[in-house]
Amino acid sequence: MSISSEHKPLGKQVTGSLHTSSPIVELNVGGEMYTTTLSTLKKHPGSKLAEMFTGQPKLRTDSEGRFFIDRPGTYFKYILEYLRSNQVPTQCIQDVYKEALFYDIEPLIKQLEDSPQIFGEIVARRQFLARVPNYSENIELMIRIARAEAVASRQSSVIVCVVRTEEDAARCQDALNSLDMDKKSVVKFGPWKAVPSISDLLDCIQMDVEAKGYKISFQPHVAEKGFRFKSHDFFYKFLFTWW
């Protein structure tokens, strides 16, 4: 949201304090220009945004004298709209939430956390994944293995063992002992004590790897050789496609 104005930029007028008779403030937020008032920016005194414009100037100015904030300017319009009219955004919820956290606008943070998108991510999905041992570390391990095997290849694969219960963990270990392959290259997730299923966890793995910019798919892994048993329903092959 870019707003032109005939007002002289406040950044050029201020020499030592933001307590000025002019209430107009011009901002450059990540290259997006905004014009608002000092009272709007300081609407929530305990916020980081209000602190930026309280007392001595705490921000640099650009070549035109506008106060510069090095954050994504696209989403600042939603922050500003909330400060002006208490309107909670209904678009770009995840990104606006990150900005609300950065500017520490507590009322907006709480309202966004009540939205289905943020509530589902924080209260449901993250709470579930927190009960899966070493989940984040295993995601990084998968990526390292896939990258190591990507030399001169279009695709590389990672074998994942997903076990929901302690019993499945024991079965998985038995199967691993019978595998005719390097056991260190198998990434094991679980067990966990929560309602979500193995299918739910697989979706989470794909979602979080794709969020890092990788193209990935998965399917049940069926090994014709190397197993002492006919089938195991907790082995999956994750396929990384590089080009």
Side-chain angles (χ1 to χ4, degrees):
M1 176 178 177
S2 183
I3 303 175
S4 62
S5 173
E6 296 181 356
H7 293 285
K8 294 291 184 180
L10 184 57
K12 289 183 176 179
Q13 299 171 2
V14 174
T15 56
S17 174
L18 281 166
H19 294 293
T20 174
S21 58
S22 173
I24 304 301
V25 180
E26 291 197 355
L27 304 173
N28 177 345
V29 184
E32 297 285 336
M33 311 308 165
Y34 295 91
T35 302
T36 186
T37 65
L38 193 58
S39 60
T40 295
L41 296 170
K42 296 170 63 176
K43 184 174 182 179
H44 298 285
S47 69
K48 181 178 178 179
L49 183 61
E51 179 64 21
M52 291 178 181
F53 296 93
T54 300
Q56 295 294 112
K58 301 173 180 64
L59 297 170
R60 293 172 294 171
T61 56
D62 65 12
S63 59
E64 297 298 321
R66 293 173 291 237
F67 287 113
F68 179 73
I69 301 177
D70 194 12
R71 295 294 295 180
T74 304
Y75 309 116
F76 189 74
K77 63 182 178 182
Y78 300 109
I79 299 293
L80 198 55
E81 187 59 34
Y82 176 77
L83 295 174
R84 287 168 171 163
S85 61
N86 291 321
Q87 180 176 327
V88 179
T90 57
Q91 303 177 54
C92 308
I93 301 296
Q94 298 280 358
D95 293 304
V96 176
Y97 179 66
K98 292 177 184 178
E99 297 309 296
L101 288 173
F102 173 78
Y103 293 114
D104 194 22
I105 304 173
E106 191 65 28
L108 178 57
I109 292 171
K110 290 181 178 179
Q111 291 184 69
L112 288 173
E113 287 179 348
D114 284 337
S115 69
Q117 298 94 321
I118 304 298
F119 179 87
E121 173 67 20
I122 294 178
V123 177
R125 199 177 87 92
R126 288 189 191 176
Q127 288 296 318
F128 159 52
L129 295 178
R131 302 184 186 189
V132 180
N134 304 314
Y135 176 81
S136 297
E137 293 84 348
N138 283 339
I139 293 291
E140 296 300 327
L141 178 57
M142 285 179 62
I143 293 171
R144 288 199 300 272
I145 293 173
R147 291 175 68 94
E149 296 182 359
V151 178
S153 301
R154 183 172 185 179
Q155 295 178 318
S156 57
S157 62
V158 179
I159 304 301
V160 169
C161 177
V162 182
V163 292
R164 184 174 177 181
T165 67
E166 294 290 349
E167 292 180 356
D168 282 347
R171 291 175 60 206
C172 175
Q173 189 58 51
D174 287 342
L176 283 174
N177 291 336
S178 69
L179 275 174
D180 185 20
M181 64 181 296
D182 183 3
K183 300 176 182 61
K184 293 182 181 179
S185 66
V186 179
V187 182
K188 176 174 167 287
F189 286 85
W192 64 87
K193 294 182 179 179
V195 174
S197 65
I198 287 177
S199 176
D200 294 324
L201 181 65
L202 291 169
D203 287 341
C204 287
I205 294 172
Q206 182 174 16
M207 183 186 307
D208 289 330
V209 173
E210 287 180 340
K212 295 179 180 292
Y214 296 92
K215 184 177 180 181
I216 189 174
S217 61
F218 67 88
Q219 62 187 28
H221 176 58
V222 179
E224 296 180 358
K225 298 180 181 180
F227 280 104
R228 290 195 307 236
F229 309 103
K230 290 184 178 180
S231 65
H232 294 277
D233 57 5
F234 36 75
F235 283 94
Y236 298 85
K237 177 186 288 187
F238 278 80
L239 196 65
F240 287 72
T241 301
W242 302 103
W243 51 273

